[in-house]
Amino acid sequence: MSKHVLIVEDDVDISRLLRLELEDAGYRVSCFDNGMRGLAAIREDRPDLIILDLGLPDVSGTEIARRVRRTDPTPIIILTAADDVETKVTLLNAGADDYLAKPFHVQELLARVGVQLRKHGGGGATRVGDLTIDAVRRHVAWGEDEVRLSPREFELLQYLAGQPGRVYSRREIEMNVWGGDLPPSSNVVDVHVANIRSKLRDAGGYGVIRTVRGVGYAIKG
Ligand code: CA
């Protein structure tokens, strides 16, 4: 069955173009031109991916992302007219998985849609020893015990678990988990790793993430 992409965009030219291109690429597409109708349809239809315009007439794309993210792991790509660091940080913190600044190339959007669908719909959970990471349900467990992570902690752990045993540098982690938007010499990666370790220990998981001094971190392979 083809994947369902739901678009919330009040610019009819853009949503028409996106619909054509996405349908051409084999997706099922539905379009909404205001935030509240879009949000209702997201709840009702449970699409596989959401494309949100940031500037909508009623509710902002950021607010929709935030509301969806409270209950739902569906990947969200936000279209924005602004391309500054502050906007990006706000969008990513609101729970957007990716964003594109307008004007964008439709091929780039299609590529990013594909990336998000692979990332979220990869089928089944990743297992590393006693650790289970379910990307679809955004659920982490150590053995039988659930480990409750913040969205960013989840992404960090999921990123490290992409290749168990491989050492990921702080810079790589910043680029891939935070989109590179951290100030230089920020210790935010270390703080998140410390939080994840503490939560894993509470569930009985010791020594899951290894520190490689002066380089970065690895999940025990
Ligand atoms: Ca708009």
Side-chain angles (χ1 to χ4, degrees):
M1 209 173 109
S2 55
K3 298 273 188 193
H4 177 197
V5 177
L6 189 147
I7 301 168
V8 190
E9 163 66 88
D10 60 320
D11 184 323
V12 187
D13 291 333
I14 293 181
S15 65
R16 193 177 293 144
L17 171 73
L18 291 182
R19 179 195 278 280
L20 281 173
E21 294 284 344
L22 285 161
E23 284 180 348
D24 201 45
Y27 299 106
R28 189 157 63 83
V29 181
S30 47
C31 299
F32 298 87
D33 63 2
N34 84 58
M36 289 319 286
R37 273 203 291 274
L39 201 53
I42 290 166
R43 301 247 183 269
E44 182 104 340
D45 301 341
R46 310 208 130 254
D48 297 295
L49 182 137
I50 301 161
I51 297 174
L52 277 179
D53 178 31
L54 185 63
L56 293 165
D58 54 346
V59 198
S60 77
T62 322
E63 182 54 27
I64 297 179
R66 218 170 259 135
R67 291 197 204 176
V68 170
R69 197 48 86 232
R70 265 183 227 146
T71 54
D72 214 320
T74 315
I76 299 172
I77 299 176
I78 293 192
L79 308 177
T80 162
D83 194 16
D84 56 285
V85 170
E86 205 176 309
T87 306
K88 291 175 197 169
V89 171
T90 309
L91 296 181
L92 295 170
N93 282 339
D97 296 274
D98 201 356
Y99 59 84
L100 266 180
K102 292 177 181 176
F104 55 86
H105 200 289
V106 80
Q107 290 308 320
E108 186 177 1
L109 180 74
L110 287 174
R112 292 185 184 212
V113 166
V115 166
Q116 290 304 327
L117 286 171
R118 276 195 298 282
K119 200 162 141 191
H120 289 259
T126 307
R127 280 203 176 77
V128 187
D130 284 324
L131 179 70
T132 309
I133 303 170
D134 185 330
V136 178
R137 291 161 57 224
R138 282 180 99 84
H139 181 272
V140 174
W142 180 263
E144 301 284 292
D145 292 332
E146 181 179 358
V147 180
R148 289 180 175 275
L149 300 181
S150 73
R152 194 72 80 177
E153 290 163 2
F154 180 90
E155 274 161 38
L156 174 47
L157 186 67
Q158 187 185 32
Y159 180 60
L160 295 179
Q163 280 183 59
R166 177 178 169 230
V167 181
Y168 290 88
S169 71
R170 280 185 183 75
R171 185 75 195 129
E172 279 180 289
I173 296 170
E174 287 175 9
M175 288 305 295
N176 286 282
V177 179
W178 274 267
D181 291 325
L182 294 173
S185 79
S186 153
N187 68 345
V188 88
V189 172
D190 306 287
V191 170
H192 278 70
V193 168
N195 288 342
I196 297 169
R197 279 177 170 154
S198 150
K199 290 175 178 182
L200 285 168
R201 276 198 301 270
D202 287 345
Y206 290 84
V208 181
I209 302 176
R210 195 159 64 86
T211 303
V212 181
R213 284 189 62 184
V215 186
Y217 296 101
I219 277 207
K220 241 162 92 176

